[in-house]
Coordinates of all heavy atoms in Angstrom, one line a residue:
M62 N -23.0 -13.1 -7.6 CA -23.6 -11.8 -8.1 C -22.7 -10.7 -7.9 O -21.6 -10.7 -8.3 CB -25.0 -11.7 -7.5 CG -25.9 -10.8 -8.3 SD -27.6 -11.3 -7.9 CE -28.4 -10.3 -9.1
F63 N -23.2 -9.7 -7.2 CA -22.4 -8.6 -6.8 C -21.8 -8.8 -5.4 O -22.5 -9.2 -4.5 CB -23.2 -7.3 -6.8 CG -23.6 -6.9 -8.3 CD1 -24.9 -7.1 -8.7 CD2 -22.7 -6.5 -9.2 CE1 -25.2 -6.9 -10.0 CE2 -23.0 -6.3 -10.4 CZ -24.3 -6.5 -10.8
E64 N -20.5 -8.4 -5.2 CA -19.9 -8.3 -4.0 C -19.6 -6.9 -3.5 O -19.2 -6.1 -4.3 CB -18.7 -9.2 -3.9 CG -18.9 -10.6 -4.0 CD -17.5 -11.4 -4.0 OE1 -16.6 -10.8 -3.4 OE2 -17.5 -12.5 -4.5
K65 N -19.9 -6.6 -2.2 CA -19.7 -5.3 -1.7 C -18.1 -5.1 -1.5 O -17.6 -5.9 -0.7 CB -20.5 -5.1 -0.5 CG -20.4 -3.6 0.1 CD -21.2 -3.4 1.4 CE -20.9 -2.1 2.0 NZ -21.7 -1.9 3.1
T66 N -17.5 -4.2 -1.9 CA -16.2 -3.9 -1.5 C -16.1 -2.7 -0.9 O -16.7 -1.7 -1.1 CB -15.3 -3.8 -2.9 OG1 -15.9 -2.6 -3.7 CG2 -15.4 -5.0 -3.7
N67 N -15.2 -2.6 0.1 CA -15.0 -1.4 0.9 C -14.1 -0.5 0.2 O -13.0 -0.8 -0.3 CB -14.3 -1.7 2.4 CG -15.2 -2.6 3.2 OD1 -16.3 -2.5 3.2 ND2 -14.5 -3.4 4.0
R68 N -14.6 0.7 0.1 CA -13.9 1.8 -0.7 C -13.6 3.0 0.3 O -14.4 3.2 1.1 CB -14.7 2.3 -1.9 CG -14.9 1.2 -2.8 CD -15.5 1.6 -4.1 NE -16.8 2.4 -3.9 CZ -17.3 3.2 -4.8 NH1 -16.7 3.2 -6.0 NH2 -18.3 3.9 -4.6
S69 N -12.6 3.7 -0.1 CA -12.3 4.9 0.6 C -12.1 6.1 -0.3 O -11.8 5.8 -1.4 CB -10.9 4.7 1.4 OG -11.0 3.8 2.4
G70 N -12.4 7.3 0.2 CA -12.4 8.4 -0.8 C -11.1 9.1 -0.6 O -10.5 9.2 0.5
L71 N -10.8 9.8 -1.8 CA -9.6 10.6 -1.7 C -10.0 12.0 -2.4 O -10.8 11.9 -3.4 CB -8.4 10.1 -2.6 CG -7.8 8.9 -2.0 CD1 -6.8 8.3 -3.1 CD2 -7.0 9.2 -0.8
I72 N -9.6 13.0 -1.9 CA -9.8 14.4 -2.5 C -8.5 14.7 -3.1 O -7.5 14.8 -2.5 CB -10.2 15.4 -1.4 CG1 -11.5 15.1 -0.6 CG2 -10.4 16.8 -2.1 CD1 -12.7 14.9 -1.5
I73 N -8.5 14.9 -4.4 CA -7.2 15.2 -5.2 C -7.3 16.6 -5.8 O -8.3 16.9 -6.6 CB -7.1 14.2 -6.2 CG1 -6.9 12.7 -5.5 CG2 -5.8 14.4 -7.0 CD1 -6.8 11.6 -6.6
Y74 N -6.4 17.5 -5.5 CA -6.3 18.8 -6.1 C -5.5 18.7 -7.2 O -4.3 18.2 -7.2 CB -5.8 19.8 -5.1 CG -6.8 20.0 -4.0 CD1 -6.7 19.2 -2.7 CD2 -7.8 20.9 -3.9 CE1 -7.7 19.4 -1.7 CE2 -8.7 21.0 -2.9 CZ -8.6 20.3 -1.8 OH -9.5 20.4 -0.7
L75 N -5.9 19.4 -8.4 CA -5.2 19.2 -9.6 C -4.7 20.7 -10.0 O -5.2 21.7 -9.5 CB -6.0 18.8 -10.7 CG -6.7 17.4 -10.6 CD1 -7.8 17.3 -11.6 CD2 -5.8 16.4 -10.7
Y76 N -3.6 20.6 -10.8 CA -3.1 22.0 -11.4 C -4.0 22.3 -12.6 O -4.3 23.5 -12.8 CB -1.7 21.8 -11.9 CG -0.7 21.8 -10.6 CD1 -0.1 20.6 -10.3 CD2 -0.4 23.0 -9.9 CE1 0.9 20.7 -9.3 CE2 0.4 23.0 -8.9 CZ 1.1 21.8 -8.6 OH 2.0 21.7 -7.5
Y77 N -4.4 21.3 -13.4 CA -5.2 21.7 -14.5 C -6.4 20.6 -14.6 O -6.1 19.5 -14.2 CB -4.5 21.5 -15.9 CG -3.4 22.6 -16.0 CD1 -2.0 22.0 -15.7 CD2 -3.5 23.8 -16.2 CE1 -1.0 23.0 -15.8 CE2 -2.4 24.7 -16.2 CZ -1.2 24.3 -16.0 OH -0.2 25.3 -16.0
N78 N -7.6 21.0 -15.0 CA -8.7 20.1 -15.1 C -8.5 19.0 -16.1 O -9.2 18.1 -16.0 CB -10.0 21.0 -15.3 CG -10.4 21.6 -14.1 OD1 -10.3 21.2 -13.0 ND2 -11.0 22.9 -14.4
R79 N -7.8 19.3 -17.1 CA -7.7 18.3 -18.2 C -7.0 17.1 -17.7 O -7.1 15.9 -18.4 CB -6.8 19.0 -19.4 CG -5.4 19.2 -19.0 CD -4.7 19.7 -20.2 NE -3.2 20.0 -19.9 CZ -2.8 21.2 -19.9 NH1 -3.4 22.3 -20.3 NH2 -1.5 21.5 -19.4
D80 N -6.3 17.0 -16.5 CA -5.6 15.9 -16.1 C -6.6 15.0 -15.3 O -6.1 13.9 -14.8 CB -4.4 16.3 -15.1 CG -3.5 17.1 -15.9 OD1 -3.2 16.7 -17.1 OD2 -2.8 18.0 -15.2
A81 N -7.8 15.3 -15.1 CA -8.8 14.5 -14.4 C -9.1 13.1 -15.2 O -9.3 12.1 -14.5 CB -10.1 15.2 -14.3
K82 N -8.9 13.2 -16.5 CA -9.2 12.0 -17.3 C -8.1 10.8 -16.9 O -8.3 9.7 -17.0 CB -9.0 12.3 -18.6 CG -10.3 13.0 -19.2 CD -10.1 13.3 -20.7 CE -11.2 14.3 -21.1 NZ -11.0 14.6 -22.5
K83 N -6.8 11.3 -16.5 CA -5.8 10.5 -16.2 C -6.1 9.6 -14.9 O -5.6 8.5 -14.8 CB -4.6 11.2 -15.9 CG -4.0 11.9 -17.3 CD -2.7 12.8 -17.0 CE -2.4 13.5 -18.3 NZ -1.2 14.3 -17.9
L84 N -7.0 10.1 -14.0 CA -7.3 9.4 -12.8 C -8.4 8.5 -12.9 O -8.6 7.8 -11.8 CB -7.6 10.5 -11.7 CG -6.4 11.4 -11.3 CD1 -6.9 12.5 -10.6 CD2 -5.3 10.7 -10.7
Q85 N -9.1 8.3 -13.9 CA -10.2 7.4 -14.3 C -9.7 5.7 -14.1 O -10.4 5.0 -13.7 CB -10.8 7.6 -15.5 CG -11.7 8.8 -15.5 CD -12.3 9.1 -16.9 OE1 -12.0 8.3 -17.9 NE2 -13.2 9.9 -17.0
E86 N -8.4 5.6 -14.4 CA -7.9 4.2 -14.4 C -7.7 3.8 -12.9 O -7.6 2.6 -12.5 CB -6.7 4.1 -15.2 CG -5.5 4.9 -14.7 CD -4.2 4.9 -15.6 OE1 -4.5 5.1 -16.9 OE2 -3.2 4.7 -15.0
Y87 N -7.5 4.7 -12.0 CA -7.2 4.4 -10.5 C -8.5 4.1 -9.7 O -8.4 3.3 -8.7 CB -6.5 5.6 -9.9 CG -5.0 5.7 -10.5 CD1 -4.9 6.9 -11.3 CD2 -4.0 4.8 -10.3 CE1 -3.7 7.1 -11.8 CE2 -2.8 5.0 -10.7 CZ -2.6 6.2 -11.5 OH -1.3 6.4 -12.1
G88 N -9.5 4.6 -10.0 CA -10.8 4.3 -9.2 C -12.0 5.1 -9.9 O -12.0 5.5 -11.1
D89 N -13.0 5.3 -9.1 CA -14.3 5.8 -9.6 C -14.3 7.3 -9.2 O -14.2 7.7 -8.0 CB -15.5 5.2 -8.9 CG -15.6 3.7 -9.3 OD1 -15.2 3.4 -10.5 OD2 -16.0 2.9 -8.6
I90 N -14.5 8.2 -10.2 CA -14.6 9.6 -9.9 C -16.0 9.8 -9.6 O -16.8 9.7 -10.4 CB -14.0 10.5 -11.1 CG1 -12.7 10.2 -11.3 CG2 -14.4 11.9 -11.0 CD1 -12.0 10.9 -12.5
C91 N -16.2 10.3 -8.4 CA -17.6 10.6 -7.9 C -18.0 12.2 -8.2 O -19.1 12.3 -8.6 CB -17.8 10.3 -6.4 SG -19.3 10.7 -5.7
Y92 N -17.0 13.1 -8.0 CA -17.3 14.5 -8.2 C -16.1 15.1 -8.7 O -15.0 14.8 -8.4 CB -17.8 15.1 -6.9 CG -18.1 16.5 -7.0 CD1 -19.3 17.0 -7.5 CD2 -17.2 17.4 -6.5 CE1 -19.6 18.4 -7.6 CE2 -17.5 18.8 -6.5 CZ -18.6 19.2 -7.1 OH -18.9 20.6 -7.2
H93 N -16.4 16.2 -9.6 CA -15.2 16.9 -10.2 C -15.6 18.4 -10.2 O -16.6 18.8 -10.8 CB -14.8 16.4 -11.6 CG -13.7 17.2 -12.2 ND1 -13.5 17.2 -13.5 CD2 -12.7 18.0 -11.6 CE1 -12.5 18.0 -13.8 NE2 -12.0 18.5 -12.7
S94 N -14.9 19.2 -9.4 CA -15.2 20.7 -9.4 C -14.2 21.3 -10.3 O -13.0 21.4 -10.0 CB -15.1 21.2 -7.9 OG -15.1 22.6 -7.9
K95 N -14.8 21.7 -11.4 CA -13.9 22.5 -12.3 C -13.6 23.8 -11.9 O -12.4 24.3 -12.3 CB -14.7 22.5 -13.7 CG -14.9 21.2 -14.2 CD -15.6 21.2 -15.7 CE -15.8 19.7 -16.1 NZ -16.6 19.7 -17.2
K96 N -14.3 24.4 -11.1 CA -14.0 25.8 -10.7 C -12.9 25.8 -9.7 O -12.0 26.7 -9.7 CB -15.2 26.4 -10.0 CG -15.1 27.8 -9.4 CD -16.3 28.4 -8.9 CE -16.1 29.8 -8.4 NZ -17.2 30.3 -7.6
H97 N -12.9 24.9 -8.7 CA -11.9 24.7 -7.7 C -10.8 23.8 -8.0 O -9.9 23.5 -7.1 CB -12.6 24.5 -6.3 CG -13.5 25.5 -5.8 ND1 -13.1 26.7 -5.5 CD2 -14.9 25.4 -5.8 CE1 -14.3 27.4 -5.2 NE2 -15.3 26.7 -5.4
R98 N -10.9 23.1 -9.0 CA -10.0 22.1 -9.6 C -9.5 21.0 -8.6 O -8.3 20.8 -8.2 CB -8.7 22.9 -9.9 CG -8.9 23.7 -11.3 CD -7.5 24.3 -11.8 NE -6.9 25.1 -10.7 CZ -6.2 26.0 -10.8 NH1 -5.9 26.5 -12.0 NH2 -5.6 26.7 -9.7
Y99 N -10.6 20.4 -8.1 CA -10.4 19.1 -7.3 C -11.4 18.1 -7.8 O -12.4 18.4 -8.4 CB -10.4 19.3 -5.9 CG -11.8 19.6 -5.4 CD1 -12.5 18.5 -4.8 CD2 -12.4 20.8 -5.2 CE1 -13.9 18.7 -4.2 CE2 -13.6 21.0 -4.7 CZ -14.4 20.0 -4.2 OH -15.6 20.2 -3.7
L100 N -11.1 16.8 -7.4 CA -12.1 15.8 -7.6 C -12.1 14.7 -6.4 O -11.1 14.7 -5.7 CB -11.8 15.0 -9.0 CG -10.4 14.5 -9.2 CD1 -10.5 13.1 -8.7 CD2 -10.2 14.4 -10.6
Q101 N -13.1 14.1 -6.3 CA -13.2 13.0 -5.3 C -13.3 11.7 -6.0 O -14.0 11.3 -6.9 CB -14.6 13.2 -4.5 CG -14.7 12.3 -3.4 CD -15.9 12.6 -2.6 OE1 -16.9 13.5 -3.0 NE2 -16.1 11.9 -1.5
L102 N -12.3 10.9 -5.6 CA -11.9 9.6 -6.2 C -12.2 8.6 -5.2 O -11.7 8.6 -4.0 CB -10.5 9.6 -6.7 CG -10.0 8.3 -7.4 CD1 -10.7 8.2 -8.8 CD2 -8.6 8.3 -7.4
Y103 N -12.9 7.5 -5.3 CA -13.1 6.3 -4.5 C -12.3 5.2 -5.1 O -12.4 4.7 -6.2 CB -14.5 6.0 -4.4 CG -15.3 6.9 -3.5 CD1 -16.3 7.9 -4.1 CD2 -15.4 6.6 -2.3 CE1 -16.9 8.7 -3.2 CE2 -15.9 7.4 -1.4 CZ -16.8 8.4 -1.9 OH -17.5 9.3 -1.0
V104 N -11.5 4.5 -4.2 CA -10.6 3.5 -4.5 C -10.8 2.4 -3.4 O -11.3 2.6 -2.3 CB -9.1 4.0 -4.5 CG1 -8.9 4.9 -5.5 CG2 -8.7 4.4 -3.2
P105 N -10.5 1.0 -3.7 CA -10.6 0.1 -2.8 C -9.6 0.3 -1.5 O -8.5 0.8 -1.6 CB -10.1 -1.2 -3.5 CG -10.3 -0.8 -4.9 CD -10.1 0.6 -5.1
T106 N -10.1 0.0 -0.3 CA -9.5 0.3 0.8 C -8.1 -0.3 1.0 O -7.1 0.2 1.4 CB -10.3 0.1 2.2 OG1 -11.5 0.7 1.9 CG2 -9.7 0.6 3.4
G107 N -8.0 -1.6 0.4 CA -6.7 -2.3 0.6 C -5.6 -1.6 -0.2 O -4.5 -1.8 0.1
E108 N -5.9 -1.0 -1.3 CA -4.9 -0.4 -2.2 C -4.7 1.1 -1.8 O -3.9 1.7 -2.6 CB -5.3 -0.5 -3.7 CG -5.7 -1.9 -4.1 CD -6.3 -1.9 -5.5 OE1 -6.5 -0.8 -6.1 OE2 -6.7 -3.0 -5.9
L109 N -5.2 1.6 -0.8 CA -5.2 3.0 -0.5 C -3.8 3.7 -0.2 O -3.5 4.6 -0.9 CB -6.1 3.3 0.7 CG -6.3 4.8 0.9 CD1 -7.1 5.5 -0.1 CD2 -7.1 5.0 2.4
D110 N -3.1 3.0 0.7 CA -1.7 3.5 1.0 C -0.9 3.5 -0.3 O -0.1 4.4 -0.5 CB -1.2 2.7 2.1 CG -1.8 2.9 3.4 OD1 -2.6 3.9 3.6 OD2 -2.0 1.9 4.2
D111 N -0.7 2.4 -1.0 CA 0.0 2.3 -2.2 C -0.3 3.3 -3.3 O 0.5 3.9 -3.9 CB 0.0 0.9 -2.9 CG 0.5 -0.2 -1.8 OD1 1.4 0.1 -1.1 OD2 0.0 -1.3 -2.0
L112 N -1.7 3.6 -3.4 CA -2.2 4.5 -4.4 C -1.8 5.9 -4.0 O -1.4 6.7 -4.8 CB -3.6 4.2 -4.6 CG -4.3 4.9 -5.8 CD1 -3.7 4.4 -7.0 CD2 -5.7 4.7 -5.9
V113 N -1.9 6.3 -2.8 CA -1.5 7.7 -2.3 C 0.0 7.8 -2.5 O 0.3 9.0 -3.0 CB -1.9 7.8 -0.8 CG1 -1.4 9.1 -0.3 CG2 -3.5 7.8 -0.7
E114 N 0.8 6.9 -2.3 CA 2.1 7.0 -2.6 C 2.5 7.2 -4.0 O 3.3 8.1 -4.5 CB 2.9 5.7 -2.1 CG 4.4 6.0 -2.0 CD 5.1 4.8 -1.3 OE1 4.5 4.3 -0.3 OE2 6.1 4.2 -1.9
R115 N 1.8 6.4 -4.9 CA 2.0 6.5 -6.3 C 1.5 7.8 -6.9 O 2.2 8.5 -7.8 CB 1.3 5.4 -7.1 CG 2.2 4.2 -7.2 CD 1.6 3.2 -8.2 NE 0.4 2.6 -7.6 CZ -0.6 2.1 -8.3 NH1 -0.5 2.0 -9.6 NH2 -1.7 1.5 -7.7
L116 N 0.4 8.2 -6.4 CA -0.1 9.5 -6.9 C 0.5 10.8 -6.4 O 0.4 11.8 -7.0 CB -1.6 9.6 -6.6 CG -2.6 8.7 -7.4 CD1 -4.1 8.7 -6.8 CD2 -2.7 8.9 -8.7
G117 N 1.2 10.7 -5.3 CA 1.9 11.7 -4.8 C 3.1 12.1 -5.6 O 3.6 13.2 -5.6
K118 N 3.6 11.2 -6.3 CA 4.8 11.3 -7.2 C 4.4 11.9 -8.5 O 5.3 12.3 -9.3 CB 5.4 10.0 -7.5 CG 6.1 9.4 -6.1 CD 6.7 8.1 -6.4 CE 7.3 7.5 -5.1 NZ 7.8 6.2 -5.2
E119 N 3.1 11.9 -8.9 CA 2.6 12.5 -10.3 C 2.8 14.1 -10.2 O 2.5 14.7 -9.3 CB 1.2 12.1 -10.5 CG 1.0 10.6 -10.6 CD 1.6 10.0 -11.9 OE1 2.0 10.8 -12.9 OE2 1.9 8.8 -11.9
R120 N 3.2 14.5 -11.5 CA 3.5 15.9 -11.5 C 2.2 16.8 -11.6 O 2.2 18.0 -11.4 CB 4.4 16.2 -12.7 CG 5.7 15.5 -12.5 CD 6.6 15.8 -13.6 NE 7.4 16.9 -13.2 CZ 8.2 17.7 -14.0 NH1 8.2 17.3 -15.2 NH2 8.9 18.7 -13.6
Y121 N 1.1 16.2 -12.1 CA -0.1 16.9 -12.3 C -1.0 17.0 -11.0 O -2.1 17.8 -11.1 CB -0.8 16.4 -13.4 CG -1.3 14.9 -13.3 CD1 -2.4 14.6 -12.7 CD2 -0.4 13.9 -13.9 CE1 -2.8 13.1 -12.7 CE2 -0.8 12.6 -13.7 CZ -1.9 12.2 -13.1 OH -2.1 10.9 -13.1
I122 N -0.6 16.4 -9.9 CA -1.3 16.5 -8.7 C -0.8 17.6 -7.7 O 0.4 17.4 -7.5 CB -1.5 15.1 -8.0 CG1 -2.2 14.2 -9.1 CG2 -2.1 15.1 -6.7 CD1 -2.4 12.8 -8.6
K123 N -1.5 18.4 -7.2 CA -1.0 19.4 -6.3 C -1.1 18.8 -4.8 O -0.1 19.0 -4.2 CB -2.1 20.7 -6.4 CG -1.5 21.8 -5.6 CD -2.5 22.9 -5.7 CE -2.7 23.5 -7.1 NZ -3.5 24.7 -7.1
K124 N -2.1 18.3 -4.5 CA -2.4 17.7 -3.0 C -3.3 16.7 -2.9 O -4.3 16.6 -3.8 CB -2.7 18.9 -2.2 CG -2.9 18.7 -0.8 CD -3.0 19.9 0.2 CE -4.3 20.6 -0.1 NZ -4.7 21.5 0.9
I125 N -3.2 15.7 -2.1 CA -3.9 14.6 -1.9 C -4.5 14.7 -0.4 O -3.6 14.8 0.5 CB -3.3 13.2 -2.2 CG1 -3.0 13.3 -3.7 CG2 -4.3 12.1 -1.9 CD1 -2.1 12.0 -3.9
R126 N -5.8 14.5 -0.2 CA -6.4 14.4 1.2 C -7.3 13.2 1.2 O -7.9 12.9 0.2 CB -7.2 15.7 1.6 CG -6.3 16.9 1.6 CD -7.1 18.2 1.9 NE -7.9 18.0 3.1 CZ -9.1 18.6 3.4 NH1 -9.5 19.6 2.6 NH2 -9.8 18.5 4.5
R127 N -7.3 12.6 2.4 CA -8.2 11.4 2.6 C -9.6 11.9 3.2 O -9.7 12.8 3.9 CB -7.5 10.5 3.5 CG -6.2 9.8 3.0 CD -5.8 8.8 3.9 NE -4.6 8.3 3.4 CZ -3.9 7.2 3.9 NH1 -4.5 6.5 4.8 NH2 -2.9 6.9 3.3
C128 N -10.7 11.2 2.7 CA -12.0 11.5 3.2 C -12.2 10.7 4.5 O -11.8 9.6 4.5 CB -12.9 11.0 2.2 SG -13.1 11.9 0.7
H129 N -12.8 11.4 5.4 CA -12.8 10.8 6.8 C -14.3 10.5 7.0 O -14.8 10.5 8.1 CB -12.3 11.6 7.8 CG -10.9 11.9 7.7 ND1 -10.0 10.9 8.1 CD2 -10.2 12.9 7.2 CE1 -8.7 11.3 7.8 NE2 -8.9 12.7 7.4
I130 N -15.1 10.1 5.9 CA -16.6 10.0 6.2 C -16.9 8.6 6.8 O -17.9 8.4 7.4 CB -17.4 10.0 4.8 CG1 -18.8 10.3 5.1 CG2 -17.0 9.0 4.0 CD1 -19.4 11.1 4.1
Q131 N -15.9 7.7 6.6 CA -16.0 6.4 7.2 C -16.0 6.4 8.9 O -16.4 5.6 9.5 CB -15.1 5.4 6.7 CG -15.3 4.9 5.4 CD -14.5 5.8 4.4 OE1 -13.9 6.7 4.8 NE2 -14.9 5.6 3.0
E132 N -15.2 7.5 9.3 CA -15.0 7.6 10.7 C -16.2 8.3 11.5 O -16.2 8.3 12.6 CB -13.6 8.4 11.0 CG -12.5 7.8 10.3 CD -11.3 8.7 10.4 OE1 -11.4 9.8 10.9 OE2 -10.3 8.2 9.8
L133 N -17.2 8.8 10.7 CA -18.3 9.6 11.3 C -19.3 8.6 11.8 O -19.4 7.5 11.1 CB -18.9 10.5 10.2 CG -18.1 11.6 9.8 CD1 -18.8 12.4 8.7 CD2 -17.7 12.6 10.9
E134 N -19.9 8.9 12.9 CA -21.0 7.9 13.3 C -22.3 8.2 12.6 O -22.7 9.4 12.6 CB -21.1 8.2 14.8 CG -19.9 7.8 15.7 CD -20.3 8.0 17.2 OE1 -21.4 8.0 17.6 OE2 -19.3 8.1 17.9
T135 N -22.8 7.2 12.0 CA -24.1 7.5 11.2 C -25.4 7.1 12.1 O -26.3 7.5 11.5 CB -24.0 6.5 10.0 OG1 -23.8 5.2 10.3 CG2 -22.9 7.1 9.1
P136 N -25.4 6.3 13.1 CA -26.7 6.2 13.8 C -27.1 7.4 14.4 O -26.6 7.9 15.5 CB -26.5 5.0 14.8 CG -25.1 5.0 15.0 CD -24.4 5.6 13.8
F137 N -28.2 8.2 13.9 CA -28.7 9.4 14.4 C -29.7 9.1 15.5 O -30.7 8.3 15.1 CB -29.1 10.3 13.4 CG -28.0 10.6 12.4 CD1 -28.0 10.2 11.1 CD2 -26.9 11.5 12.7 CE1 -27.0 10.4 10.2 CE2 -25.9 11.7 11.9 CZ -25.9 11.3 10.6
V138 N -29.7 9.7 16.7 CA -30.8 9.5 17.6 C -31.4 10.8 17.8 O -30.8 11.8 17.9 CB -30.1 9.0 19.0 CG1 -31.0 8.7 19.9 CG2 -29.3 7.7 18.6
G139 N -32.8 10.7 17.9 CA -33.5 11.8 18.2 C -34.5 12.4 17.1 O -34.6 11.7 16.1
N140 N -35.2 13.4 17.3 CA -36.0 13.9 16.4 C -35.4 15.2 15.7 O -34.8 16.0 16.3 CB -37.3 14.5 17.2 CG -38.4 14.7 16.2 OD1 -38.4 14.7 15.0 ND2 -39.6 15.0 16.8
L141 N -35.7 15.2 14.4 CA -35.1 16.4 13.7 C -36.0 17.5 13.6 O -35.5 18.6 13.1 CB -34.7 15.9 12.3 CG -33.7 14.8 12.1 CD1 -33.6 14.4 10.6 CD2 -32.3 15.2 12.7
Y142 N -37.2 17.4 14.0 CA -38.2 18.5 13.9 C -38.0 19.3 15.2 O -37.9 18.9 16.3 CB -39.6 17.9 13.8 CG -39.7 17.3 12.4 CD1 -39.8 15.8 12.4 CD2 -39.8 17.9 11.2 CE1 -39.9 15.1 11.2 CE2 -40.0 17.2 10.0 CZ -40.1 15.8 10.0 OH -40.1 15.1 8.9
R143 N -38.2 20.7 15.0 CA -38.1 21.5 16.2 C -39.5 21.8 16.8 O -40.3 22.0 16.1 CB -37.4 22.9 15.7 CG -36.1 22.9 15.5 CD -35.4 24.3 15.4 NE -34.1 24.2 15.2 CZ -33.3 24.9 16.1 NH1 -33.8 25.8 16.8 NH2 -32.0 24.7 16.0
T144 N -39.5 21.7 18.1 CA -40.7 22.0 18.7 C -40.2 22.8 19.9 O -39.0 23.1 20.1 CB -41.4 20.8 19.4 OG1 -40.6 20.1 20.2 CG2 -41.9 19.9 18.2
E145 N -41.2 23.5 20.7 CA -40.9 24.4 21.8 C -40.2 23.5 22.9 O -39.4 24.1 23.7 CB -42.1 25.1 22.2 CG -42.7 26.1 21.2 CD -43.8 26.8 21.7 OE1 -44.1 26.6 22.9 OE2 -44.5 27.4 20.9
E146 N -40.4 22.2 22.9 CA -40.0 21.5 24.1 C -38.4 21.2 23.9 O -37.7 21.2 24.9 CB -40.7 20.1 24.1 CG -42.1 20.3 24.4 CD -42.9 19.1 24.1 OE1 -42.3 18.1 23.6 OE2 -44.2 19.1 24.3
N147 N -37.9 20.9 22.7 CA -36.5 20.6 22.5 C -35.6 21.7 21.9 O -34.6 21.5 21.5 CB -36.4 19.3 21.7 CG -37.0 19.6 20.3 OD1 -37.4 20.7 19.9 ND2 -36.9 18.6 19.4
V148 N -36.1 22.9 22.2 CA -35.3 24.1 21.8 C -34.5 24.6 22.9 O -35.1 24.9 23.9 CB -36.1 25.2 21.0 CG1 -35.3 26.5 20.8 CG2 -36.9 24.7 19.9
I149 N -33.2 24.7 22.8 CA -32.3 25.2 23.9 C -32.0 26.6 23.7 O -31.7 27.1 22.6 CB -31.0 24.4 23.9 CG1 -31.3 23.0 24.1 CG2 -30.2 24.9 25.0 CD1 -30.0 22.1 23.9
I150 N -32.4 27.3 24.8 CA -32.2 28.9 24.8 C -31.1 29.3 25.5 O -30.7 28.8 26.5 CB -33.5 29.7 25.2 CG1 -34.7 29.2 24.2 CG2 -33.2 31.0 25.2 CD1 -35.8 29.8 24.7

């Protein structure tokens, strides 16, 4: 059926918004900010280093940053509601 593939995110800054269509062949575009001219692209983790090197040579890309969301700890412990007992003054 479906297999889960590990993906990593890239934040890619563009010179022009019209070049975002060219990046659809590399991975899944999750978000595109037309005002700030960047997009978030998810690619398979195994191809990440080769892809960053290839995309770095393209003339329409200003800068590439990696997303570090996989490095964040996700098991949250504690209560999210504020009461007088757990408020630190």
Side-chain angles (χ1 to χ4, degrees):
M62 201 160 190
F63 294 107
E64 292 184 21
K65 182 179 177 183
T66 58
N67 291 333
R68 299 189 307 163
S69 297
L71 294 173
I72 305 293
I73 300 176
Y74 294 90
L75 303 169
Y76 287 107
Y77 300 104
N78 283 324
R79 65 177 180 245
D80 295 325
K82 293 179 183 178
K83 297 176 184 176
L84 296 171
Q85 288 179 347
E86 64 187 47
Y87 294 107
D89 298 325
I90 296 176
C91 181
Y92 180 74
H93 180 202
S94 173
K95 294 179 181 174
K96 179 180 179 182
H97 299 290
R98 291 187 303 212
Y99 76 91
L100 57 87
Q101 187 171 7
L102 180 75
Y103 280 100
V104 297
T106 306
E108 304 171 5
L109 184 67
D110 294 330
D111 297 332
L112 193 62
V113 168
E114 188 175 323
R115 272 192 291 159
L116 289 175
K118 296 176 183 176
E119 296 292 337
R120 302 182 90 191
Y121 56 88
I122 293 178
K123 188 185 295 187
K124 183 169 63 169
I125 300 173
R126 294 178 54 200
R127 295 185 184 196
C128 292
H129 298 287
I130 196 152
Q131 289 90 4
E132 299 170 7
L133 296 175
E134 295 182 22
T135 53
F137 301 108
V138 179
N140 192 355
L141 297 177
Y142 298 105
R143 286 187 171 235
T144 60
E145 293 181 14
E146 300 163 357
N147 60 5
V148 174
I149 300 173
I150 298 176

